[in-house]
């Protein structure tokens, strides 16, 4: 087994220790040094010479000259004759690269807070530089952990904390393979944020070059748009045969709707491990039981029969989109078109039908609302007004002042329960979703898809890593069932008037008061997650074209019919290019 | 003995000339033949990863591809209209400016000025002119006409033909003016003495002497017509309205999508078509201009 840095801190309790006060187990360190498991830093790239080699007392941390650092200085006498050279590398170095720049550019302290895990250590950047956000990075310890393992490479557009942790965890979980990341954002010289919201055009271009030159990684993990491009080129092998082999991850281990969504012509070229479901819900008393995944016509019919003074959209959940507090043509069109845009595209045939009457009627209905510039806007409100309107908007669904609220689901976690409770209270709710024509009103998003290129010389190793990611992700049936069963157990122990109390502070569902979720709602969520139709593949460019043309309609520059015709013209070209 | 020396000399000359040719041959091989060979190879494999040989499948897929057919049709239509117009109008202007008319040099400068303006600025001006609320529509509305969304309707090609002519006529005109000044004066004087009319002189003398230039201008305009993609792209992006979608859009988008096989097949097919067109033009020029050149 690899050594965990927690071993070095006998008193580690989960809080970030100041290293100077850190209760290090010096004997343990000495033991590791003698076993050559910990090695001394050397003067090399990114390592300050004077502070390491001359003092010769650092064992764990090193950064480049401009960075302050903390090591285990003074704890162990140097043993220059026996100590081997040791460098702690940066986040992507888990993957044998140099320090990730943000970790070292600021004169911030690097504190060792956890985990030499499978050859990786977690570093926490302290608030030494107030302008830099606190951030955690994983770093590798020399090449420890790689010995005797077969290397599997994974190409990522960007490595954030979550992906670095996943890689480290995988490397720690087994001893056959060593997963090594190829960070394309680093290759492109870009410093990207930790989120996956950036455009990865440059990174994808570099990946393409690697593919062409025969240096494709064993696993490619990119965003859906770029992965779809590669899938269309038939670059990935089918993962179903791996699943059908006994002993490993099987098809039944993955939520069936998720698996079905990724299947293309009976093959599984790529898969995402962490879904996000975007949908919408309304109180059943307003929409009836038959409104789940409603159509545009049903939406318009219901919206037109609302009582006086009741909004259609809960503007708290749709506020971030355009900053306006009342129903307006922008947020109505956004809500009405989000799913329809996808429904009009037949990805199998690479055709589209944006002249669909429901698309035109959704646009025309949106135009019956005022422009967002003519309604109450968050930016125009004073502090007090903003507070009162924010409160009103926040409780609009609960107080029957709005019909539909946006819902965001990633599992049966505390967030989902809190979200639904705070918006809908105890009333029965129906997942109306975004208006659709195929009875599926949810939009599913995956930040990363994993695929194994046909060219990989280590497909078994690649599948081993991908199957580990799947089993850890929320697409895993076991993960969802575990969440469900946990909720049930919690319910049993703290049931109160058929309700389960939710303590947000403790993040449990059974103690405290204020947040309530019923067993029926847990069941409803559990079933909904498993019945959502998953459509992971999308063409980002189609969305852009539609937004552009819809803006012309909303601005009064053309009619809904003209816009539909233009969208059809432009998108059909885009799709036919792929045929 | 003498003949042997002569033979040796000729062989030496031959070896020397081949040696001199080597750098050029290597250059042509490296920069033209080998890349073209790679493109041809790419056009017959499934993808760069598996490199599986698929014969003419990529070509078959390409000719059945709706986007490619649309792009080819639009480009052919655009070139068929704009290239002859660019040649004829430039020739007409050159003939006009050959005469002694007032403000001749000002006109010449005026027609050449589009060449000096950067494309991005040109596109900006054309956007202002042909936008939905642009100058052209404002003028049309002033006179009771209906506004037209020029760049997002079937009338889009009119805009790019106008833009192409505006940009290229000046340069073509200068080439024709140079060619007109090279027509032998004595020939024209003889024709005048023989009582030939202006039309006769133009069609039977000038045009015959101009035929190599016409061919050159035609080829140049044809090549430039494929470059209109740049302006269309800046005006309307990767995916313009149907009628503005050109072959270069197809190529560019296919490249961005990593579809090198389709791209290579399209490039090879395009090269073949261009070779045929050039061959036809050269044959025509050979037929009509040979006697004049001799």
């Amino acid at each position: 087994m690899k050594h965990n840095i927690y071993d070095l801190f006998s008193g580690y309790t989960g809080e970030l220790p100041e290293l100077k006060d850190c209760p290090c187990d010096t004997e343990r360190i000495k033991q590791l040094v003698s076993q050559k498991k910990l090695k001394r830093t050397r003067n090399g790239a990114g390592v300050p010479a004077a502070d390491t080699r001359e003092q010769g007392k650092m064992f764990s941390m090193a950064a480049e000259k401009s960075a302050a650092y903390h090591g285990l200085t003074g704890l162990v006498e140097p043993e220059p004759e026996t100590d081997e050279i040791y460098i702690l590398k940066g986040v992507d170095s888990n993957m044998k690269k140099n320090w990730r720049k943000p970790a070292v550019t600021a004169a911030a302290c690097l504190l060792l807070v956890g985990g030499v895990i499978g050859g990786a250590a977690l570093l926490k950047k302290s608030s030494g530089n107030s302008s830099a956000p606190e951030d955690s990075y994983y770093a590798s310890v020399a090449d420890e952990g790689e010995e005797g393992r077969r290397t599997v490479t994974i190409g990522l557009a960007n490595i954030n904390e979550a992906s670095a942790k996943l890689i480290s965890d995988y490397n720690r979980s087994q001893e056959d393979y060593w997963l090594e990341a190829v960070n394309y954002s680093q290759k492109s010289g870009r410093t990207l944020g930790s989120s996956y919201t950036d455009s990865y055009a440059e990174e994808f271009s570099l990946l393409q070059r690697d593919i062409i030159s025969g240096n494709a990684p064993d696993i490619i993990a990119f965003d859906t748009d770029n992965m779809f491009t590669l899938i269309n080129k038939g670059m990935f092998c089918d993962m179903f045969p791996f699943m059908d082999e006994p002993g490993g991850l099987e098809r039944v281990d993955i939520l069936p709707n998720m698996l079905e969504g990724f299947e293309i012509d009976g093959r599984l070229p790529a898969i995402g491990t962490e879904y996000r479901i975007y949908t919408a819900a309304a109180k059943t008393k307003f929409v009836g039981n038959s409104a789940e995944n409603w159509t545009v016509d049903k939406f318009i019919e219901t919206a037109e029969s609302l009582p006086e003074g009741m909004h259609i959209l809960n503007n708290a959940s749709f506020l971030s989109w355009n900053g306006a507090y009342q129903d307006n043509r922008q947020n109505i069109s956004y809500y009405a078109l989000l799913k329809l845009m996808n429904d009009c595209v037949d990805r199998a045939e690479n055709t589209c039908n944006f002249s669909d009457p429901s698309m035109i009627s959704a646009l025309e209905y949106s135009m019956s609302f005022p422009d967002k510039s003519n309604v109450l806007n968050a930016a125009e409100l004073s502090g007090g007004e903003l507070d009162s309107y924010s409160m009103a908007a926040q409780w609009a669904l609960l107080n029957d002042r709005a019909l539909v609220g946006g819902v965001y689901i990633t599992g049966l976690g505390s967030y989902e329960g809190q979200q639904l409770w705070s918006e809908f209270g105890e009333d029965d709710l129906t997942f109306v979703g975004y208006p659709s024509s195929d009875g599926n009103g949810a939009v599913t998003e995956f930040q990363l898809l994993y695929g194994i290129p046909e060219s990989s010389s280590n497909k078994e190793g690649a599948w081993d890593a991908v199957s580990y990611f799947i089993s850890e992700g929320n697409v895993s049936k076991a993960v969802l069932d575990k969440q469900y069963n946990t909720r049930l157990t919690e319910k049993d122990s703290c049931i109160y008037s058929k309700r389960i109390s939710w303590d947000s502070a403790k993040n449990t569902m059974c103690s405290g008061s204020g947040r309530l979720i019923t067993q029926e709602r847990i069941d409803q969520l559990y079933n909904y997650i498993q019945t959502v139709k998953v459509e992971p593949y999308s063409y980002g460019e189609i969305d852009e074209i539609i937004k552009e043309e819809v803006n012309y309609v909303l601005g009064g520059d053309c009619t809904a019919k003209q816009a539909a015709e233009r969208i059809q013209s432009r998108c059909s070209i885009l799709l036919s290019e792929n045929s | 003995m003498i003949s042997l020396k002569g033979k040796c000399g000729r062989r030496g000359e031959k070896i020397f000339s081949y040696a001199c040719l080597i750098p050029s041959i290597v250059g042509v091989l490296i920069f033209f033949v080998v890349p073209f060979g790679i493109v041809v190879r790419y056009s017959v494999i499934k993808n760069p990863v598996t490199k599986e040989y698929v014969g003419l499948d990529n070509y078959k897929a390409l000719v059945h591809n709706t986007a490619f057919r649309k792009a080819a049709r639009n480009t052919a239509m655009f070139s068929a209209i704009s290239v002859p117009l660019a040649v004829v109008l430039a020739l007409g202007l050159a003939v006009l400016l050959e005469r002694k008319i007032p403000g001749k040099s000002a006109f010449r400068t005026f027609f050449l000025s589009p060449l000096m303006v950067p494309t991005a600025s040109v596109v900006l001006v054309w956007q202002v002119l042909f936008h939905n609320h642009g100058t052209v529509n404002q003028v049309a509305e002033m006179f009771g006409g209906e506004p037209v969304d020029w760049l997002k309707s079937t009338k889009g090609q009119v805009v790019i033909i106008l833009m192409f002519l505006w940009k290229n006529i000046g340069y073509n005109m200068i080439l024709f003016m140079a060619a007109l000044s090279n027509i032998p004066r004595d020939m024209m004087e003889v024709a005048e003495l023989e009582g030939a009319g202006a039309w006769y002189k133009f069609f039977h003398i000038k045009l015959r002497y101009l035929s190599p230039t016409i061919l050159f201008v035609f080829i140049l305009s044809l090549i430039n017509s494929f470059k209109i993609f740049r302006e269309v792209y800046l005006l309307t992006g990767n995916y313009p309205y149907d009628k503005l979608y050109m072959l270069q859009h197809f190529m560019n988008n296919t490249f961005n999508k990593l579809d090198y096989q389709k791209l290579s097949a399209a490039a090879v097919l395009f090269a073949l078509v261009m070779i045929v067109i050039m061959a036809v033009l050269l044959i025509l020029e050979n037929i009509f201009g040979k006697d004049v050149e001799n």
Side-chain angles (χ1 to χ4, degrees):
Chain A
M1 281 299 291
K2 302 299 157 192
H3 294 281
N4 192 308
I5 201 70
Y6 295 146
D7 297 344
L8 306 180
F9 301 101
S10 54
Y12 187 81
T13 57
E15 292 297 315
L16 304 183
E18 283 293 330
L19 208 67
K20 57 186 177 190
D21 305 322
C22 182
C24 296
D25 181 345
T26 53
E27 288 306 314
R28 177 77 176 126
I29 292 170
K30 281 180 180 175
Q31 189 190 349
L32 288 175
V33 170
S34 68
Q35 292 169 354
K36 298 183 181 177
K37 294 285 167 51
L38 271 182
K39 302 161 194 174
R40 281 180 43 237
T41 49
R42 68 170 177 182
N43 180 24
V47 180
D51 295 326
T52 55
R53 194 166 55 179
E54 289 174 16
Q55 292 177 13
K57 293 178 180 176
M58 259 188 66
F59 278 90
S60 59
M61 298 290 110
E64 68 182 16
K65 288 174 186 173
S66 61
Y69 65 90
H70 284 257
L72 304 181
T73 309
L75 293 173
V76 183
E77 288 300 315
E79 298 173 25
E81 296 303 315
T82 55
D83 290 354
E84 286 186 15
I85 292 168
Y86 158 78
I87 298 178
L88 186 71
K89 297 167 192 166
V91 55
D92 4 38
S93 58
N94 198 2
M95 310 105 183
K96 288 206 276 189
K97 304 285 176 214
N98 292 325
W99 276 96
R100 190 181 183 204
K101 270 194 170 176
V104 293
T105 47
C109 297
L110 295 167
L111 300 179
L112 181 62
V113 293
V116 176
I117 35 182
L122 172 62
L123 306 180
K124 182 87 178 173
K125 191 162 74 176
S126 80
S127 52
N129 178 352
S130 58
S131 64
E134 284 212 349
D135 215 340
S136 301
Y137 300 99
Y138 279 80
S140 71
V141 178
D143 291 337
E144 187 182 18
E146 292 183 67
E147 292 162 13
R149 298 192 188 194
R150 200 164 166 203
T151 300
V152 176
T153 52
I154 177 169
L156 294 129
N158 182 27
I159 295 178
N160 62 12
E161 191 179 335
S163 52
K165 182 177 183 306
L166 202 58
I167 292 167
S168 289
D169 287 348
Y170 171 69
N171 283 337
R172 200 169 48 148
S173 71
Q174 45 73 50
E175 295 197 331
D176 296 327
Y177 302 104
W178 179 258
L179 193 56
E180 185 175 298
V182 181
N183 184 353
Y184 283 97
S185 67
Q186 189 187 48
K187 275 189 163 189
S188 70
R190 291 212 296 166
T191 305
L192 298 174
S194 58
S195 72
Y196 281 96
T197 53
D198 299 279
S199 161
Y200 293 123
E202 284 178 49
E203 287 72 21
F204 188 61
S205 171
L206 288 172
L207 171 70
Q208 287 178 41
R209 279 184 229 168
D210 275 356
I211 292 171
I212 302 289
S213 59
N215 295 320
D218 295 309
I219 303 168
I220 294 175
F222 263 68
D223 57 285
T224 46
D225 273 12
N226 287 321
M227 286 296 279
F228 195 38
T229 302
L230 297 177
I231 290 167
N232 279 333
K233 285 309 300 158
M235 287 196 180
F236 295 117
C237 70
D238 181 12
M239 286 190 265
F240 277 142
F242 295 114
M243 287 186 189
D244 295 337
E245 280 177 18
L249 186 95
E250 295 175 24
R251 295 186 195 220
V252 290
D253 296 327
I254 302 169
L255 295 174
N257 56 331
M258 301 289 163
L259 198 59
E260 194 182 327
F262 286 106
E263 189 178 325
I264 298 175
D265 298 332
R267 297 176 82 250
L268 186 69
I271 191 163
T273 60
E274 295 284 346
Y275 64 78
R276 288 176 182 179
I277 297 169
Y278 295 92
T279 186
K283 287 185 179 178
T284 309
K285 66 183 180 187
F286 292 120
V287 295
N289 283 317
S290 61
E292 186 153 310
N293 297 318
W294 60 9
T295 60
V296 170
D297 291 342
K298 174 78 177 165
F299 160 63
I300 294 173
E301 182 196 322
T302 312
E304 282 179 338
S305 61
L306 288 181
E308 188 69 27
M310 187 174 179
H311 294 301
I312 296 171
L313 300 177
N314 170 30
N315 287 298
S317 52
F318 288 94
L319 179 68
S320 59
W321 185 62
N322 67 0
Y325 274 99
Q326 293 166 7
D327 289 330
N328 54 73
R329 61 178 66 160
Q330 277 80 11
N331 64 3
I332 294 287
S333 65
Y334 172 78
Y335 172 71
L337 294 176
L338 187 71
K339 190 65 185 49
L340 277 180
M341 294 190 313
N342 285 326
D343 294 351
C344 293
V345 178
D346 182 343
R347 283 175 185 77
E349 296 295 322
N350 279 314
T351 56
C352 56
N353 180 21
F354 286 99
S355 311
D356 189 83
S358 55
M359 177 93 182
I360 294 169
S361 61
L363 268 173
E364 283 172 347
Y365 180 64
S366 306
M367 287 302 286
S368 65
F369 290 85
D371 188 86
K372 70 173 181 183
S373 58
N374 296 328
V375 298
L376 203 55
N377 197 291
E380 294 165 0
L381 296 175
S382 66
E385 285 173 326
L386 185 64
D387 287 346
S388 61
Y389 277 108
S390 294
M391 289 297 286
Q394 193 179 343
W395 299 108
L397 282 167
L398 200 62
N399 298 329
D400 297 345
R401 302 289 294 170
L403 178 68
V404 181
V407 179
Y408 165 73
I409 304 168
T410 57
L412 288 177
S414 54
Y415 174 75
E416 285 76 15
Q418 282 182 338
Q419 177 190 218
L420 291 175
W421 160 251
S422 65
E423 291 199 343
F424 295 95
E426 297 170 61
D427 286 339
D428 288 343
L429 60 88
T430 300
F431 286 111
V432 290
Y434 295 88
S436 61
S437 54
D438 66 349
N440 170 44
V443 175
T444 326
E445 183 188 276
F446 291 82
Q447 286 190 332
L448 281 182
L449 298 190
Y450 298 88
I452 302 172
E454 289 279 9
S455 60
S456 169
S457 57
N458 192 2
K459 291 193 182 71
E460 290 75 22
W463 169 246
D464 192 68
V466 172
S467 60
Y468 175 82
F469 298 157
I470 293 170
S471 62
E472 292 293 305
N474 61 8
V475 294
S476 162
K477 181 86 167 68
V479 168
L480 185 69
D481 286 345
K482 190 179 169 189
Q483 288 175 336
Y484 182 75
N485 292 328
T486 308
R487 298 293 174 250
L488 283 179
T489 313
E490 287 170 353
K491 186 211 94 174
D492 291 341
S493 61
C494 58
I495 193 161
Y496 173 71
S497 292
K498 293 185 181 176
R499 296 169 194 161
I500 304 160
S501 305
W502 190 296
D503 185 336
S504 59
K506 291 186 179 174
N507 206 22
T508 66
M509 298 181 70
C510 55
S511 61
S513 59
R515 305 286 188 211
L516 309 173
I517 188 163
T518 59
Q519 178 57 49
E520 288 74 23
R521 193 164 284 178
I522 295 173
D523 290 341
Q524 190 180 16
L525 266 174
Y526 180 72
N527 292 328
Y528 188 72
I529 289 169
Q530 294 185 84
T531 51
V532 159
K533 187 179 171 191
V534 178
E535 292 169 320
Y537 303 117
S538 64
Y539 292 103
E541 282 163 315
I542 287 189
D543 295 349
E544 291 305 313
I545 290 171
I546 294 170
K547 275 181 200 162
E548 184 189 323
E549 298 298 345
V550 166
N551 279 338
Y552 281 114
V553 183
L554 301 181
D557 285 336
C558 66
T559 64
K561 211 171 175 180
Q562 282 171 329
E565 189 210 332
R566 290 172 186 177
I567 294 169
Q568 176 65 21
S569 164
R570 298 176 67 188
C571 293
S572 61
I573 291 174
L574 190 152
L575 288 163
S576 57
E577 276 180 358
N578 297 320
S579 62
Chain B
M1 190 70 182
I2 293 167
S3 66
L4 189 65
K5 199 176 179 181
K7 267 188 180 175
C8 285
R10 277 200 297 276
R11 191 182 298 159
E13 268 177 31
K14 263 188 178 177
I15 292 168
F16 180 70
S17 12
Y18 284 136
C20 289
L21 276 175
I22 285 173
S24 303
I25 291 170
V26 170
V28 169
L29 277 174
I30 292 174
F31 295 109
F32 296 98
V33 180
V34 173
F36 192 72
I38 292 171
V39 169
V40 173
R41 182 174 173 265
Y42 265 47
S43 71
V44 291
I45 59 171
K46 191 177 177 186
N47 65 45
V49 175
T50 57
K51 295 187 175 72
E52 182 191 337
Y53 177 75
V54 290
L56 295 178
D57 285 2
N58 291 328
Y59 290 93
K60 285 179 198 161
L62 184 73
V63 292
H64 286 110
N65 186 288
T66 326
F68 176 75
R69 292 215 300 247
K70 189 172 284 178
R73 197 168 49 239
N74 286 345
T75 308
M77 171 83 86
F78 171 74
S79 299
I81 296 170
S82 61
V83 173
L85 271 177
V87 175
V88 171
L89 290 175
L91 182 59
L93 284 169
V95 171
L96 200 68
L97 290 179
E98 199 194 14
R99 293 165 176 248
K100 285 174 184 163
I101 55 165
K104 193 171 150 179
S105 61
F107 273 118
R108 206 159 41 202
T109 314
F110 169 73
F111 281 113
L112 275 177
S113 60
L115 285 176
M116 293 176 261
V117 188
T119 308
S121 332
V122 172
V123 166
L124 197 71
V125 172
W126 284 77
Q127 255 170 352
V128 170
L129 286 174
F130 288 98
H131 186 260
N132 206 14
H133 301 298
T135 316
V136 173
N137 276 346
Q138 282 175 356
V139 172
E141 280 178 281
M142 206 185 292
F143 292 100
E146 281 290 309
V148 175
D149 199 344
W150 293 94
L151 299 173
K152 288 186 175 175
S153 67
T154 46
K155 297 185 175 64
Q157 277 224 343
V158 175
V159 178
I160 56 166
I161 288 170
L162 284 175
M163 187 189 271
F164 174 78
L165 293 175
W166 175 78
K167 181 121 192 179
N168 290 284
I169 277 181
Y171 186 62
N172 290 354
M173 183 190 77
I174 294 294
L175 293 174
F176 280 128
M177 285 175 78
L180 281 169
S181 66
N182 279 338
I183 295 172
R185 289 276 156 218
D186 51 349
M187 186 71 78
M188 299 304 290
E189 281 164 11
V190 170
E192 208 136 302
L193 286 173
E194 295 285 338
W199 288 108
Y200 187 90
K201 279 194 285 182
F202 178 75
F203 283 107
H204 290 92
I205 302 171
K206 286 184 180 175
L207 217 51
R208 296 298 295 276
Y209 274 97
L210 283 176
S211 64
T213 312
I214 291 173
L215 173 76
F216 176 68
V217 170
F218 195 91
I219 291 172
L220 204 68
S221 300
L222 191 64
I223 292 166
N224 282 336
S225 75
F226 296 128
K227 290 185 189 166
I228 196 69
F229 160 76
R230 190 174 48 180
E231 281 81 7
V232 181
Y233 176 79
L234 287 171
L235 274 173
T236 58
N238 273 340
Y239 294 99
Y241 190 80
D242 194 311
K243 292 285 174 196
L244 296 178
Y245 183 68
M246 300 290 171
L247 262 180
Q248 286 290 321
H249 280 102
F250 179 81
M251 303 267 196
N252 192 49
N253 296 341
T254 312
F255 175 78
N256 286 338
K257 285 176 185 162
L258 199 73
D259 204 341
Y260 297 129
Q261 287 58 58
K262 207 183 281 172
L263 175 64
S264 305
V268 172
L269 216 57
F270 187 60
L272 288 175
V273 170
M274 286 305 288
I275 288 168
V276 170
I277 292 172
M278 296 293 172
V280 169
L281 288 173
L282 286 170
I283 290 165
L284 285 175
E285 203 272 329
N286 204 28
I287 293 167
F288 293 106
K290 201 175 182 181
D291 54 340
V292 182
E293 279 174 41
N294 287 339

